[in-house]
Amino acid sequence: MTDDSTTLLLGGRIHSPSNPDATAMAVKDGTIVWIGQDGPGRALHPDARVEDLDGAFVAPGFVDAHVHATATGLHLAGVDLGGITDAAGLLAAIRAAARPGEVLIAHGWDETTWTADRLPSRAEIDEAAAGVPVYLSRVDVHSALVSTALVELAPAAPAARDAAGWSPDGPLTRDAHHHVRAAVRAALTREQRRRAQEAFLRLAAARGIVSVHECAGPDISGEDDLADLLALAAEPGHPEVIGYWGELDAVDTARRLGARGLAGDLFADGALGSHTAALHEPYLDEPGSTGARYLDADTIAGHLIACTEAGLQAGFHVIGDAAVAEVVRGFELAEKTVGQRALAGGRHRLEHLEMIDAEQAKALAGWGVTGSMQPQFDALWGGTAGMYAQRLGPGRAAAMNPFAMLAAEGVLLAFGSDCPVTPLQPWDSVRAAVHHRTPGSGLSARAAFTAHTRGGHRAAGVNDGLTGSLVPGAPAHYAVWDAADLVVAAPDSRVQRWSTDPRSRVPALPPLDPDAPLPTCLRTVRGGEVLYDAFTSAA
């Protein structure tokens, strides 16, 4: 018999693979204590507070394994350049949004989708901005168009002129981009930053996300930004934030900040869209370039050794095949010092990991490495005519983001958005992982969903066999979804409502067909605490 601190959820569809007929779940003191059917639930928990789910779907809460909270929050309140189709449109957006006395921060332009890929000159940007400092980040956030006023804004910014990646007229990349991004951060007030972080956390909760991994660092967001975000997330009513700090030789910094590791966006290379991902062979559309490799194998090994010995997770941002090869070599060197068991025990991780072969994947699996990946990258840029094909050619592009191969070789997958690079839409990410643009590279719906839920917890070092699942004894991290109207075509061509009943021959997850509607979040709960609620229940 229970006391009135127990909540009994009835009349739902519980995502419990071990109990596919479950329609009820009991939660007490932030922990799932029972899963089954409605009748036994009422009998076993007669004093519980009852909530009628009215057929809603209950599933483990999502984990986004790679986010940039403040940048996303600023983007939510700023100018979205994703719909721009040419230079004239970009300049018009600047004219409409520029305000005297404020830095204009806008994000999302992607010239590979424009009707004409000519970028506006700095002089054109200056004219449109009328003296306002302007920072326009490309969709991959590895380059930016800027105004002269921004370059002159702060002491850090003029140094961009002497840095790698400087252009007097075009986008800034590499170190030059880091300098101007530092100037943008310096222009933000603490209150602006807090509003952006609050907006991000509210959106995450409304999307069924119970935990995010913030990938911070000195070239990304700054110590104050991460410290403030972690403090905000510790207040009631917010998703969990796991902090990663991307810096070499910074064990003391990680401990002071409370970061889980020196990982995340510690750059081994750049990004394909900005021609800075490190490649073995030149870019198809920039034949004189093979990108930028920022770290060598010895440096990578030293970082892995230091983190392993300090009990911190290590990790790197790595995209291009030349960068992946260098990282794998770094692991090989680190193993010679700390041994395979200690290296695997570090639960180190690699972000993006887009160009990798089966032999490298097998080696990484042996070292217990997590691949923190973003399925929406393939949805946006994959295929025979997407950005990957423009940069690499169809052959190399087809091998990008090989989820199925990585899973088959034993690499733990954890999915995320890299927001604001792609939207904070976890169901879209699950669908993208299933419907990979390269046949054979996608995952089953269950494997993709697991990578975006339990896989995220495991990527942060939580491997208790419970967290991220709906089973008795697991933390009550879950989301309630309105899936009543979702339908799927059954094998006999009759249209049936989606169901968790295996006899219906309908998948145990909502239909993820490319044109199918996706669930709407009604409630998000972490450890029994409601983070978001749009669900009207009846006792």
Side-chain angles (χ1 to χ4, degrees), residues 126-398:
D126 288 345
E127 183 277 328
V132 170
V134 171
Y135 172 81
L136 312 174
S137 52
R138 193 182 183 280
V139 65
D140 57 17
V141 202
H142 280 257
S143 58
L145 292 165
V146 300
S147 67
T148 301
L150 180 69
V151 176
E152 298 173 347
L153 182 64
R161 294 190 180 96
D162 299 320
W166 166 258
S167 169
D169 200 46
L172 303 187
T173 64
R174 307 190 190 192
D175 291 343
H177 179 227
H178 294 325
H179 283 301
V180 296
R181 186 157 54 179
V184 173
R185 291 203 310 269
L188 292 176
T189 67
R190 190 168 188 177
E191 181 56 33
Q192 283 177 300
R193 189 166 63 225
R194 182 179 176 90
R195 287 199 303 268
Q197 292 174 347
E198 287 176 335
F200 166 81
L201 291 172
R202 285 195 302 270
L203 178 63
R207 297 285 162 81
I209 296 170
V210 297
S211 179
V212 300
H213 299 177
E214 170 71 9
C215 293
D219 295 325
I220 300 294
S221 53
E223 290 188 28
D224 289 346
D225 185 277
L226 179 58
D228 287 351
L229 178 62
L230 293 175
L232 177 61
E235 297 176 5
H238 295 305
E240 173 188 46
V241 175
I242 302 293
Y244 289 96
W245 184 252
E247 186 176 14
L248 299 170
D249 303 318
V251 168
D252 291 342
T253 302
R255 287 175 172 159
R256 172 166 44 80
L257 291 171
R260 186 66 54 91
L262 295 170
D265 277 335
L266 176 51
F267 297 113
D269 68 342
L272 288 167
S274 294
H275 293 99
T276 52
L279 305 179
H280 285 309
E281 301 296 331
Y283 283 87
L284 179 68
D285 59 349
E286 197 169 286
S289 173
T290 56
R293 181 169 57 80
Y294 302 132
L295 301 174
D296 61 24
D298 288 334
T299 303
I300 291 164
H303 185 68
L304 289 166
I305 293 166
C307 289
T308 300
E309 292 177 342
L312 293 169
Q313 286 182 283
F316 306 91
H317 160 119
V318 53
I319 290 179
D321 52 5
V324 171
E326 202 72 15
V327 168
V328 170
R329 178 58 179 156
F331 271 90
E332 291 172 347
L333 294 174
E335 181 182 2
K336 294 179 180 179
T337 297
V338 299
Q340 188 274 339
R341 179 172 295 184
L343 196 58
R347 297 175 179 172
H348 306 308
R349 51 189 287 167
L350 298 177
E351 310 300 315
H352 315 312
L353 199 60
E354 293 192 80
M355 296 182 75
I356 181 171
D357 63 34
E359 183 179 355
Q360 293 167 332
K362 185 175 182 179
L364 293 176
W367 294 311
V369 174
T370 295
S372 171
M373 304 182 74
Q374 295 72 41
Q376 290 188 71
F377 285 6
D378 177 74
L380 286 173
W381 303 319
T384 57
M387 183 271 287
Y388 292 154
Q390 293 178 39
R391 294 288 188 266
L392 305 173
R396 283 189 291 176

